[in-house]
Structures are given as structure tokens and as C-alpha cells.
Amino acid sequence: MKLVVVSAGLSVPSSTRLLADRLATATAERAAAEVEVVELRDLAVEIAHNLTNGFPGRRLAAALDAVTAADGLIVVTPVFSASYSGLFKSFFDVLEQDALAGKPVLIAATGGSTRHSLVLEHALRPLFAYLRAVVVPTAVYAASEDWGAQGLPERVDRAAGELAALMAGLSATGRAKQPEPFEVVPFAERLAALSGRGE
């Protein structure tokens, strides 16, 4: 199985990348998955060019292909202005519309204060729901004071277990099952049938 990690950290070293690595290690151990990391910092120029000209550069195209082909995805962003970073959003803006449909995704974020932890629920979860991904129940937020403190390792383990279970379930059955096609009956025909029933 293939696990792809998208990290939107900007600094080196980055707490965002550190959290991404911890989540990836915990998930890969459970899912026996091969891990590939996509560092958005290295793709910033190509992402901007793609937004303006519609064509991905070579490295961006490879990253988009990796995300599309992944069996599971871990996405981690720093919090800027109470939301995900612009670079993070721009990457998912250039991804094909159906690329994440039915794909298991673990969402995570880092920030300087615990006050920003709700970014997971009011920004990241709605974004990936819109992209029709299957977002694991446990999201992971790490504030500056969480590193080395109790709680973070347990949240990482719980989220990784949920993602690994989803990945294993989908690999056994294939991608998420598409709904069966259904017949559309014109409204006038349906109304006529109802009218006839009353006579």
C-alpha cells in the first residue's frame, strides 16, 4: 500500500513536518505501507505557475500523481490567520476535482497556541468533505506546548490506527463503491401515475 504525506510547513526544521513524520511512522507501522512525503515548500513556485497558466511543472505533476494514486493520505498544515496556509489550499486547488473521492485522509495542523485547534473542524474537515475524501474521525492538532507533553502521542496513535484501518478496508475491497445508477422518471410522468391512482 502507498501512504502519501502532504506537509505545508515553511521553515526548516518545521513542527509541521515533525508532526507529519510522527503520523506517517505510526500509520505505516500499522498498515505496512510505503511512505512518500510531498513538501509543498519545494513546490511553491510550480503551484503558483499552475494557478496562472493551468500547467503543472514536472515536480508538481509527480506530486499530484502521487496524491491521486495513494491508498491513504496524511495532510498537515501550519495555522495562518485561523485557517490553513495559502500554500496548502493552493495545492489542493490544482488537484483534479475527483482525485480524493473515496480516499482515506487524516487531517492535522500545527500552531503556536491551542486557541487555533478548531481549525481542524471549521476549515480542514469541510475542505476534504467537499473533495469527497473519507476523513478519519480523529484529527490531530499540535500547539507549541504539546511537544513532549502528555496527550499528543495518544492522539497520533489513535488517528494513525483509524487511517490504517480505512486503508486496509479499501485495499481489500477496492476504491469506495460507487452508487448504483438509477432511472430518472420525469416529474410529469410520475404526477400522471399518481393522478391515475386516485381515479
Side-chain angles (χ1 to χ4, degrees):
M1 281 192 292
K2 184 69 171 287
L3 174 65
V4 174
V5 180
V6 177
S7 172
L10 298 179
S11 60
V12 180
S14 161
S15 61
T16 301
R17 176 61 189 270
L18 178 59
L19 180 58
D21 288 345
R22 288 193 182 184
L23 290 165
T25 299
T27 304
E29 288 174 354
R30 291 166 171 79
E34 175 189 345
V35 177
E36 180 177 346
V37 178
V38 174
E39 278 281 9
L40 298 187
R41 178 186 65 246
D42 300 333
L43 301 172
V45 173
E46 290 191 26
I47 291 170
H49 287 165
N50 192 174
L51 287 169
T52 57
N53 65 25
F55 298 100
R58 180 181 51 81
R59 291 189 306 161
L60 176 58
L64 295 171
D65 288 345
V67 167
T68 301
D71 296 298
L73 197 61
I74 295 172
V75 298
V76 191
T77 180
V79 175
F80 292 137
S81 301
S83 189
Y84 36 66
S85 73
L87 180 61
F88 181 86
K89 179 61 163 59
S90 295
F91 177 76
F92 289 101
D93 283 345
V94 300
L95 191 65
E96 288 293 325
Q97 185 174 358
D98 296 328
L100 299 186
K103 192 181 301 294
V105 176
L106 191 168
I107 57 174
T110 58
S113 166
T114 56
R115 293 191 307 259
H116 297 300
S117 62
L118 285 177
V119 70
L120 295 166
E121 303 305 326
H122 73 68
L124 270 79
R125 197 174 295 276
L127 171 64
F128 288 95
Y130 173 79
L131 295 172
R132 294 186 290 129
V134 180
V135 183
V136 302
T138 301
V140 181
Y141 179 83
S144 299
E145 61 264 31
D146 288 327
W147 299 103
Q150 288 185 337
L152 180 60
E154 290 78 9
R155 294 197 307 274
V156 166
D157 285 344
R158 184 167 60 247
E162 292 168 357
L163 179 59
L166 275 176
M167 289 172 65
L170 288 181
S171 69
T173 62
R175 287 297 290 264
K177 187 177 179 183
Q178 298 299 315
E180 294 292 330
F182 58 91
E183 180 185 357
V184 177
V185 179
F187 180 71
E189 186 179 322
R190 179 73 71 187
L191 190 58
L194 290 173
S195 297
R197 189 180 305 162
E199 295 176 352

